[in-house]
Amino acid sequence: MKILAIESSCDETSAAVVEDGRRILSCKILSQIEMHKRFGGVVPEIASRAHVEAVVPLTEQALAEAGLGANEIDAVAVTYRPGLIGALLVGVNFAKSLAYTLKKPLIAVNHTRGHVASCYLANPELKPPFLALVISGGHTSLLHVKSYTEYETVGITRDDAAGEAFDKAARVMGLSYPGGAEMDRLACDGDEKSIPLPRAVVKDAPYDFSYSGLKTAVVNYLHKLDQTNTPYRKEDVAASFTKAVCDTVTDRLSHAIDDFNPPALVLAGGVSANSHIRRAVGELCDKKGCPLYLAPLSLCGDNAAMIGSQAYYEFLEGNISDIRLNAIAVSDKFVN
Ligand code: KG4
Ligand code: ZN
């Protein structure tokens, strides 16, 4: 079954064709980062407009690269939640029109489930049940994936997502948006013990996360240095900050692996591209004897191939949408 998938929830427009949930026939991604950079973050109106301009040509390219005419696809899939509402609406309305005119099934996909599915594309043997940690610019969620379409949220961030904190720390150091990848590179040459930063725990919620305190701590630390014109090494800040994130991630995962004894752990989302986090979680999983599944760096960020993968399993479960499908902006505890 060949599914044409569309992703437009934030600042990447993407169209892909995926076969039977596991094989990428094509995946085109157009990043808007250059457009948002000078504002230091994503400007929702600019994002929506850019999606409108990109979605048709990208879809044509994805079909051409897959060697398929529009009528040869079996279904149309689209990210319908969560994300920026204006951005989501572009993809949802486009996918609805396409499915309607081609008379093909329409499949609505949750973006967070899509991130998990990026690991199906890279690991043919991976199948639920497993535990998954999705860490990105918009989410930090620990999920019990009971089957391809049955999700239970085990832990969630109470405030900022990990990626949001990475980007903020980077911004205060004058790095360009989104600074996560640059923080990763800088951290390789820094001293992770040089700056004391907090590792928040959420009372009575051993699997929950909180990154706003860490974000504020690093911002205050840098402001104080700026006010007194004290020089600092960005590498040290990046290394100390990254270590704090690694520690919170491995702490929550360590408890969860002990308590759930999962057959596997999946790490996905934009921040899962971080080399230090990948290494730290890899070491933890080795110690616990729990197989770890990751996506290649090319599939960690937002892309439509992961949406096409999850869509296949939604289809098999009978989760088909129709012309009444609407976009939903908010993220909530239920990954549906
Ligand atoms: O999954 P994604 O593309 O979008 C959302 O669904 O949010 O994630 C983007 C986030 C940004 O915050 C970006 O800075 C972060 O992923 N990111 C990284 C790295 N690469 C991307 N954070 C830390 N280290 C990286 N190597
Ligand atoms: Zn994402």
Side-chain angles (χ1 to χ4, degrees):
M1 178 178 190
K2 298 183 185 78
I3 298 181
L4 169 70
I6 308 293
E7 155 65 41
S8 72
S9 65
C10 190
D11 59 350
E12 264 104 20
T13 320
S14 181
V17 182
V18 177
E19 189 169 29
D20 297 337
R22 298 278 176 163
R23 208 159 75 85
I24 302 175
L25 302 186
S26 65
C27 181
K28 308 303 287 182
I29 306 172
L30 187 67
S31 167
Q32 303 172 2
I33 283 174
E34 287 307 317
M35 296 180 201
H36 300 292
K37 235 178 193 167
R38 68 190 176 104
F39 302 102
V42 179
V43 181
E45 288 77 10
I46 294 176
S48 309
R49 194 176 292 229
H51 286 307
V52 170
E53 285 170 8
V55 73
V56 173
L58 277 183
T59 302
E60 286 169 349
Q61 287 168 26
L63 286 169
E65 203 172 295
L68 296 169
N71 260 311
E72 292 174 283
I73 56 158
D74 300 301
V76 179
V78 66
T79 303
Y80 83 112
R81 74 187 297 178
L84 300 170
I85 190 68
L88 285 167
L89 278 169
V90 177
V92 166
N93 284 314
F94 174 69
K96 282 204 292 194
S97 324
L98 201 60
Y100 186 74
T101 46
L102 295 173
K103 297 189 174 56
K104 306 283 181 188
L106 174 68
I107 308 164
V109 176
N110 181 297
H111 184 82
T112 308
R113 289 189 182 197
H115 273 301
V116 172
S118 66
C119 290
Y120 299 144
L121 293 166
N123 303 282
E125 71 282 19
L126 174 65
K127 54 179 197 293
F130 51 75
L131 276 183
L133 177 65
V134 177
I135 32 174
S136 72
H139 336 268
T140 308
S141 292
L142 183 58
L143 306 159
H144 184 194
V145 183
K146 297 176 175 174
S147 74
Y148 286 107
T149 53
E150 259 181 297
Y151 274 64
E152 190 189 323
T153 301
V154 172
I156 199 164
T157 182
R158 295 294 184 102
D159 37 58
D160 296 333
E164 226 174 313
F166 262 107
D167 293 344
K168 181 71 182 182
R171 188 176 167 173
V172 178
M173 289 199 288
L175 308 179
S176 70
Y177 177 85
E182 183 64 14
M183 291 279 284
D184 188 349
R185 278 189 290 276
L186 287 170
C188 297
D189 299 316
D191 174 3
E192 64 184 26
K193 294 201 184 76
S194 56
I195 303 162
L197 291 170
R199 278 91 168 131
V201 280
V202 182
K203 193 165 177 265
D204 300 328
Y207 315 120
D208 278 359
F209 300 82
S210 165
Y211 287 114
S212 70
L214 172 63
K215 186 178 83 176
T216 308
V218 75
V219 169
N220 287 345
Y221 176 84
L222 291 168
H223 280 167
K224 267 189 206 138
L225 295 183
D226 271 355
Q227 280 160 0
T228 50
N229 271 328
T230 312
Y232 64 89
R233 288 185 75 237
K234 287 181 186 167
E235 290 84 351
D236 290 342
V237 178
S240 303
F241 180 90
T242 304
K243 179 70 165 83
V245 176
C246 283
D247 286 352
T248 52
V249 164
T250 50
D251 172 81
R252 304 314 184 265
L253 288 178
S254 176
H255 285 119
I257 292 171
D258 288 348
D259 297 348
F260 286 78
N261 195 19
L265 181 80
V266 159
L267 185 64
V271 180
S272 76
N274 186 280
S275 60
H276 311 273
I277 298 176
R278 286 169 96 89
R279 194 178 326 117
V281 175
E283 283 166 11
L284 173 76
C285 285
D286 280 351
K287 205 171 86 190
K288 302 273 182 195
C290 179
L292 171 64
Y293 291 92
L294 299 156
L297 299 195
S298 59
L299 291 176
C300 288
D302 291 346
N303 66 84
M306 67 188 197
I307 303 303
S309 171
Q310 180 60 26
Y312 176 69
Y313 298 103
E314 301 290 348
F315 180 85
L316 293 184
E317 200 53 40
N319 296 336
I320 316 279
S321 296
D322 62 28
I323 201 77
R324 289 166 295 183
L325 176 68
N326 207 352
I328 300 172
V330 289
S331 174
D332 55 31
K333 260 187 104 103
F334 307 102
V335 182
N336 53 11

PDB file of all heavy atoms in Angstrom, residues 111 115 136-138 163 167 178 180-181 184 270-271 273-274 300-302, ligand 1:
ATOM      1  N   HIS A 111       1.152  13.967  15.165  1.00  0.00           N
ATOM      2  CA  HIS A 111       2.572  14.251  14.895  1.00  0.00           C
ATOM      3  C   HIS A 111       3.501  13.481  15.842  1.00  0.00           C
ATOM      4  O   HIS A 111       4.566  12.997  15.424  1.00  0.00           O
ATOM      5  CB  HIS A 111       2.787  15.762  15.044  1.00  0.00           C
ATOM      6  CG  HIS A 111       4.155  16.232  14.721  1.00  0.00           C
ATOM      7  ND1 HIS A 111       4.583  16.463  13.433  1.00  0.00           N
ATOM      8  CD2 HIS A 111       5.210  16.521  15.509  1.00  0.00           C
ATOM      9  CE1 HIS A 111       5.839  16.874  13.452  1.00  0.00           C
ATOM     10  NE2 HIS A 111       6.255  16.921  14.704  1.00  0.00           N
ATOM     11  N   HIS A 115       6.585  10.873  14.991  1.00  0.00           N
ATOM     12  CA  HIS A 115       7.995  10.830  15.414  1.00  0.00           C
ATOM     13  C   HIS A 115       8.391   9.412  15.837  1.00  0.00           C
ATOM     14  O   HIS A 115       9.474   8.937  15.493  1.00  0.00           O
ATOM     15  CB  HIS A 115       8.247  11.816  16.565  1.00  0.00           C
ATOM     16  CG  HIS A 115       8.572  13.208  16.082  1.00  0.00           C
ATOM     17  ND1 HIS A 115       9.647  13.468  15.261  1.00  0.00           N
ATOM     18  CD2 HIS A 115       7.969  14.402  16.301  1.00  0.00           C
ATOM     19  CE1 HIS A 115       9.700  14.770  15.005  1.00  0.00           C
ATOM     20  NE2 HIS A 115       8.693  15.356  15.608  1.00  0.00           N
ATOM     21  N   SER A 136      11.457  16.883  21.360  1.00  0.00           N
ATOM     22  CA  SER A 136      11.572  17.753  20.191  1.00  0.00           C
ATOM     23  C   SER A 136      11.411  19.203  20.627  1.00  0.00           C
ATOM     24  O   SER A 136      11.425  19.510  21.813  1.00  0.00           O
ATOM     25  CB  SER A 136      10.505  17.366  19.163  1.00  0.00           C
ATOM     26  OG  SER A 136       9.248  17.769  19.620  1.00  0.00           O
ATOM     27  N   GLY A 137      11.244  20.085  19.628  1.00  0.00           N
ATOM     28  CA  GLY A 137      11.064  21.494  19.962  1.00  0.00           C
ATOM     29  C   GLY A 137       9.726  21.737  20.640  1.00  0.00           C
ATOM     30  O   GLY A 137       9.566  22.675  21.417  1.00  0.00           O
ATOM     31  N   GLY A 138       8.755  20.880  20.364  1.00  0.00           N
ATOM     32  CA  GLY A 138       7.407  21.079  20.903  1.00  0.00           C
ATOM     33  C   GLY A 138       6.997  20.067  21.957  1.00  0.00           C
ATOM     34  O   GLY A 138       6.023  20.291  22.683  1.00  0.00           O
ATOM     35  N   GLY A 163      13.637  20.773  23.525  1.00  0.00           N
ATOM     36  CA  GLY A 163      14.152  21.537  22.387  1.00  0.00           C
ATOM     37  C   GLY A 163      13.996  23.039  22.576  1.00  0.00           C
ATOM     38  O   GLY A 163      14.854  23.821  22.169  1.00  0.00           O
ATOM     39  N   ASP A 167      16.962  25.716  22.454  1.00  0.00           N
ATOM     40  CA  ASP A 167      16.932  26.870  21.545  1.00  0.00           C
ATOM     41  C   ASP A 167      17.059  28.183  22.299  1.00  0.00           C
ATOM     42  O   ASP A 167      17.687  29.131  21.823  1.00  0.00           O
ATOM     43  CB  ASP A 167      15.642  26.848  20.706  1.00  0.00           C
ATOM     44  CG  ASP A 167      15.613  25.670  19.741  1.00  0.00           C
ATOM     45  OD1 ASP A 167      16.677  25.066  19.500  1.00  0.00           O
ATOM     46  OD2 ASP A 167      14.523  25.345  19.247  1.00  0.00           O
ATOM     47  N   PRO A 178      17.303  27.424  14.732  1.00  0.00           N
ATOM     48  CA  PRO A 178      17.193  26.813  16.064  1.00  0.00           C
ATOM     49  C   PRO A 178      18.584  26.325  16.488  1.00  0.00           C
ATOM     50  O   PRO A 178      19.282  25.683  15.719  1.00  0.00           O
ATOM     51  CB  PRO A 178      16.236  25.636  15.840  1.00  0.00           C
ATOM     52  CG  PRO A 178      16.447  25.255  14.404  1.00  0.00           C
ATOM     53  CD  PRO A 178      16.958  26.469  13.660  1.00  0.00           C
ATOM     54  N   GLY A 180      19.737  24.127  18.656  1.00  0.00           N
ATOM     55  CA  GLY A 180      20.002  22.801  19.239  1.00  0.00           C
ATOM     56  C   GLY A 180      21.221  22.103  18.648  1.00  0.00           C
ATOM     57  O   GLY A 180      22.090  21.614  19.378  1.00  0.00           O
ATOM     58  N   ALA A 181      21.303  22.071  17.324  1.00  0.00           N
ATOM     59  CA  ALA A 181      22.402  21.339  16.671  1.00  0.00           C
ATOM     60  C   ALA A 181      23.752  22.017  16.954  1.00  0.00           C
ATOM     61  O   ALA A 181      24.763  21.330  17.160  1.00  0.00           O
ATOM     62  CB  ALA A 181      22.139  21.257  15.168  1.00  0.00           C
ATOM     63  N   ASP A 184      24.924  21.155  20.364  1.00  0.00           N
ATOM     64  CA  ASP A 184      25.465  19.797  20.324  1.00  0.00           C
ATOM     65  C   ASP A 184      26.953  19.849  19.942  1.00  0.00           C
ATOM     66  O   ASP A 184      27.812  19.264  20.629  1.00  0.00           O
ATOM     67  CB  ASP A 184      24.651  19.010  19.275  1.00  0.00           C
ATOM     68  CG  ASP A 184      24.963  17.525  19.234  1.00  0.00           C
ATOM     69  OD1 ASP A 184      25.941  17.098  19.862  1.00  0.00           O
ATOM     70  OD2 ASP A 184      24.213  16.792  18.558  1.00  0.00           O
ATOM     71  N   GLY A 270      13.210  15.719  17.174  1.00  0.00           N
ATOM     72  CA  GLY A 270      14.350  16.545  16.770  1.00  0.00           C
ATOM     73  C   GLY A 270      15.514  16.495  17.744  1.00  0.00           C
ATOM     74  O   GLY A 270      16.675  16.405  17.322  1.00  0.00           O
ATOM     75  N   VAL A 271      15.246  16.524  19.038  1.00  0.00           N
ATOM     76  CA  VAL A 271      16.337  16.552  20.025  1.00  0.00           C
ATOM     77  C   VAL A 271      17.025  15.176  20.133  1.00  0.00           C
ATOM     78  O   VAL A 271      18.153  15.080  20.604  1.00  0.00           O
ATOM     79  CB  VAL A 271      15.808  17.035  21.398  1.00  0.00           C
ATOM     80  CG1 VAL A 271      16.914  17.068  22.441  1.00  0.00           C
ATOM     81  CG2 VAL A 271      15.186  18.423  21.270  1.00  0.00           C
ATOM     82  N   ALA A 273      18.362  13.805  17.901  1.00  0.00           N
ATOM     83  CA  ALA A 273      19.549  13.898  17.030  1.00  0.00           C
ATOM     84  C   ALA A 273      20.786  14.255  17.854  1.00  0.00           C
ATOM     85  O   ALA A 273      21.909  14.124  17.372  1.00  0.00           O
ATOM     86  CB  ALA A 273      19.332  14.965  15.956  1.00  0.00           C
ATOM     87  N   ASN A 274      20.586  14.695  19.079  1.00  0.00           N
ATOM     88  CA  ASN A 274      21.724  15.149  19.904  1.00  0.00           C
ATOM     89  C   ASN A 274      22.680  13.990  20.207  1.00  0.00           C
ATOM     90  O   ASN A 274      22.292  12.977  20.792  1.00  0.00           O
ATOM     91  CB  ASN A 274      21.192  15.763  21.207  1.00  0.00           C
ATOM     92  CG  ASN A 274      22.311  16.383  22.018  1.00  0.00           C
ATOM     93  OD1 ASN A 274      23.035  15.693  22.716  1.00  0.00           O
ATOM     94  ND2 ASN A 274      22.459  17.691  21.894  1.00  0.00           N
ATOM     95  N   CYS A 300      15.080  12.441  12.240  1.00  0.00           N
ATOM     96  CA  CYS A 300      14.776  12.891  13.608  1.00  0.00           C
ATOM     97  C   CYS A 300      13.882  14.127  13.595  1.00  0.00           C
ATOM     98  O   CYS A 300      12.956  14.264  14.380  1.00  0.00           O
ATOM     99  CB  CYS A 300      16.060  13.201  14.383  1.00  0.00           C
ATOM    100  SG  CYS A 300      16.990  11.728  14.829  1.00  0.00           S
ATOM    101  N   GLY A 301      14.176  15.064  12.700  1.00  0.00           N
ATOM    102  CA  GLY A 301      13.370  16.289  12.599  1.00  0.00           C
ATOM    103  C   GLY A 301      12.065  16.008  11.876  1.00  0.00           C
ATOM    104  O   GLY A 301      11.796  14.862  11.465  1.00  0.00           O
ATOM    105  N   ASP A 302      11.269  17.044  11.711  1.00  0.00           N
ATOM    106  CA  ASP A 302       9.958  16.856  11.100  1.00  0.00           C
ATOM    107  C   ASP A 302      10.068  16.433   9.634  1.00  0.00           C
ATOM    108  O   ASP A 302      10.825  17.022   8.872  1.00  0.00           O
ATOM    109  CB  ASP A 302       9.158  18.161  11.198  1.00  0.00           C
ATOM    110  CG  ASP A 302       8.785  18.460  12.640  1.00  0.00           C
ATOM    111  OD1 ASP A 302       8.913  17.553  13.485  1.00  0.00           O
ATOM    112  OD2 ASP A 302       8.359  19.593  12.914  1.00  0.00           O
TER     113      ASP A 302
HETATM  114  O1  KG4 B   1      11.089  17.391  15.853  1.00  0.00           O
HETATM  115  P1  KG4 B   1      11.431  18.781  15.464  1.00  0.00           P
HETATM  116  O2  KG4 B   1      12.007  18.996  14.077  1.00  0.00           O
HETATM  117  O3  KG4 B   1      10.221  19.730  15.597  1.00  0.00           O
HETATM  118  C1  KG4 B   1       9.217  19.602  16.579  1.00  0.00           C
HETATM  119  O4  KG4 B   1       8.343  18.715  16.447  1.00  0.00           O
HETATM  120  O5  KG4 B   1       9.301  20.381  17.548  1.00  0.00           O
HETATM  121  O6  KG4 B   1      12.480  19.315  16.572  1.00  0.00           O
HETATM  122  C2  KG4 B   1      13.129  20.542  16.436  1.00  0.00           C
HETATM  123  C3  KG4 B   1      13.961  20.764  17.674  1.00  0.00           C
HETATM  124  C4  KG4 B   1      14.562  22.171  17.772  1.00  0.00           C
HETATM  125  O7  KG4 B   1      14.324  22.649  19.077  1.00  0.00           O
HETATM  126  C5  KG4 B   1      16.045  21.931  17.525  1.00  0.00           C
HETATM  127  O8  KG4 B   1      16.901  22.873  18.142  1.00  0.00           O
HETATM  128  C6  KG4 B   1      16.220  20.562  18.141  1.00  0.00           C
HETATM  129  O9  KG4 B   1      15.069  19.848  17.710  1.00  0.00           O
HETATM  130  N1  KG4 B   1      17.434  19.885  17.693  1.00  0.00           N
HETATM  131  C7  KG4 B   1      18.447  19.545  18.527  1.00  0.00           C
HETATM  132  C8  KG4 B   1      19.447  18.947  17.721  1.00  0.00           C
HETATM  133  N2  KG4 B   1      18.999  18.921  16.438  1.00  0.00           N
HETATM  134  C9  KG4 B   1      17.773  19.507  16.437  1.00  0.00           C
HETATM  135  N3  KG4 B   1      18.584  19.710  19.860  1.00  0.00           N
HETATM  136  C10 KG4 B   1      19.720  19.264  20.414  1.00  0.00           C
HETATM  137  N4  KG4 B   1      20.717  18.693  19.726  1.00  0.00           N
HETATM  138  C11 KG4 B   1      20.626  18.489  18.398  1.00  0.00           C
HETATM  139  N5  KG4 B   1      21.607  17.907  17.716  1.00  0.00           N
END
